[in-house]
Amino acid sequence: MKTRQLVEGAMIAALFGLVSILNSYSAGMMDSLVGYFMVVPIAWYGYRYNLKDNMIVAFVSVLIVIFTGLPMFIFIAIYSSMFGLFLGESLKRKLKKEWILLGGFIVSFIANIMLYEVLSGLFGIDLIAQLTQSYKNAIEFWPSLKKYISLSQVKNMIPLFILGVSFMECYVMLALTQIILMRFHIPFPESFHLSTFRLSRKAGLVCAILLAVSFLLRSNGMKNIFVNYTYYLTYMIFVVAGLSYFSFFFVLQGKPGASALLILLLIIPITPILYAIVGGIDTITQRKNTIYDEIMKNANHGDVKE
């Protein structure tokens, strides 16, 4: 058994080295895509064996990438390994879906904060310059957009951008890993489809208080990083709750793929506000959760028609 464990760990480390070399030959064009898939073997190994052994495999894998990969890919390998370590341990301990989502988001958020706020100089990433250029390109294509959103407003949305990227990366890695690992008969707590996002009334109340307090502090001139991220994080939670509400009813209509369209609509400035309002109302009324629980209750009793 120990021999098999060592062989499987060595194969994972070798896989990291192989994709690192291939990524170097492609000049880093596959950075993020490969990073999403690298979560899978670490999570799989962590589910089968203990955390200490998985940490050793992850460390060796990253060490190989350091000697074979591009600088940016080294960071991605560390990010993927951290996420895989967390996910493997969570599945083994059979944590609830909400805790897996929260923990995965925290790992993604910390990684992106390190990338954009700490390691930007090392990797030559200037997020403000990139957003400025994107804004100018958008204005050239759609001049009237300048009436609705200014460059300063775009820069103020950097915390929301980082939070949004963190959430999307967490969601993609969880969904991708679930699809692959379930084929190896590794159970997941529930589906990670957007429509299944649940926010209790108590959690919603806490988020609403934090949102209100941070909004008042920002309105009175206090815009430090903690206040900004608290405001945008709680705001985004209600946006996701609204997204989940609409997505859920699309699923009931037999159109689960409509979730992608709902996400794309976020590029329209008024849409996130609409989602947040709907998410807040649904959190108070708990309408979606009530219907969802009723469907699951009927399904467990065999009342749902095939």
Side-chain angles (χ1 to χ4, degrees), residues 47 56 75 85-86 118-119 124 142 144 158 182 197 202 204 214 228 257 259 281 289 303:
Y47 178 80
I56 293 173
F75 173 80
L85 286 168
F86 165 77
V118 180
L119 302 179
W142 187 7
S144 60
I158 288 178
M182 287 188 71
F197 176 82
K202 184 181 295 185
S214 58
N228 277 344
S259 298
I281 294 173
N289 287 349
D303 295 331

Side-chain angles (χ1 to χ4, degrees), residues 10-277:
M11 290 176 63
I12 291 174
L15 178 62
F16 268 66
L18 176 62
V19 296
S20 176
I21 293 171
L22 292 175
N23 184 66
S24 297
Y25 280 119
S26 69
M29 295 181 64
M30 301 187 298
D31 275 346
S32 297
L33 180 61
V34 173
Y36 296 149
F37 282 95
M38 288 166 66
V39 173
V40 178
I42 297 295
W44 173 81
Y45 194 85
Y47 178 80
R48 288 170 56 85
Y49 305 109
N50 62 52
L51 178 60
K52 179 181 177 182
D53 291 335
N54 199 22
M55 290 177 67
I56 293 173
V57 170
F59 174 77
V60 173
S61 300
V62 171
L63 192 62
I64 292 175
V65 172
I66 290 175
F67 288 109
T68 61
L70 299 172
M72 184 64 181
F73 195 69
I74 296 172
F75 173 80
I76 290 175
I78 295 173
Y79 178 10
S80 302
S81 297
M82 289 170 55
F83 201 97
L85 286 168
F86 165 77
L87 184 54
E89 197 66 17
S90 298
L91 294 175
K92 184 167 60 182
R93 295 177 180 273
K94 299 181 179 180
L95 294 185
K96 292 183 177 180
K97 171 187 171 180
E98 290 79 8
W99 290 109
I100 294 177
L101 275 170
L102 177 62
F105 172 76
I106 291 173
V107 171
S108 297
F109 180 64
I110 291 174
N112 281 303
I113 284 292
M114 290 176 59
L115 177 60
Y116 294 115
E117 300 283 356
V118 180
L119 302 179
S120 57
L122 177 62
F123 295 117
I125 298 173
D126 190 338
L127 185 58
I128 295 178
Q130 291 179 5
L131 286 177
T132 301
Q133 186 58 47
S134 298
Y135 178 78
K136 291 179 179 178
N137 293 338
I139 293 300
E140 290 179 4
F141 176 75
W142 187 7
S144 60
L145 181 65
K146 195 173 183 178
K147 297 178 181 179
Y148 302 101
I149 183 169
S150 65
L151 179 59
S152 61
Q153 288 175 313
V154 171
K155 292 179 179 179
N156 288 334
M157 290 175 65
I158 288 178
L160 181 60
F161 172 79
I162 296 177
L163 287 166
V165 169
S166 301
F167 173 78
M168 291 303 299
E169 288 181 343
C170 170
Y171 182 78
V172 168
M173 287 189 287
L174 284 174
L176 177 64
T177 307
Q178 181 179 28
I179 291 172
I180 297 175
L181 291 190
M182 287 188 71
R183 294 185 178 274
F184 291 92
H185 307 291
I186 295 178
F188 272 68
E190 290 182 60
S191 170
F192 284 96
H193 192 276
L194 181 61
S195 63
T196 63
F197 176 82
R198 296 167 67 87
L199 186 64
S200 67
R201 187 178 284 112
K202 184 181 295 185
L205 178 61
V206 173
C207 290
I209 293 173
L210 290 174
L211 177 61
V213 171
S214 58
F215 175 79
L216 290 174
L217 291 175
R218 282 168 52 86
S219 299
N220 287 280
M222 184 181 294
K223 296 184 179 180
N224 61 50
I225 188 170
F226 178 77
V227 173
N228 277 344
Y229 279 114
T230 300
Y231 171 77
Y232 283 114
L233 176 59
T234 49
Y235 172 68
M236 186 177 175
I237 287 174
F238 286 115
V239 171
V240 173
L243 266 168
S244 177
Y245 179 86
F246 288 116
S247 179
F248 176 73
F249 286 100
F250 272 119
V251 170
L252 292 182
Q253 296 298 319
K255 300 176 181 178
S259 298
L261 175 61
L262 292 171
I263 294 173
L264 287 175
L265 290 175
L266 286 171
I267 63 175
I268 302 174
I270 193 64
T271 306
I273 299 175
L274 172 63
Y275 286 163
I277 294 173

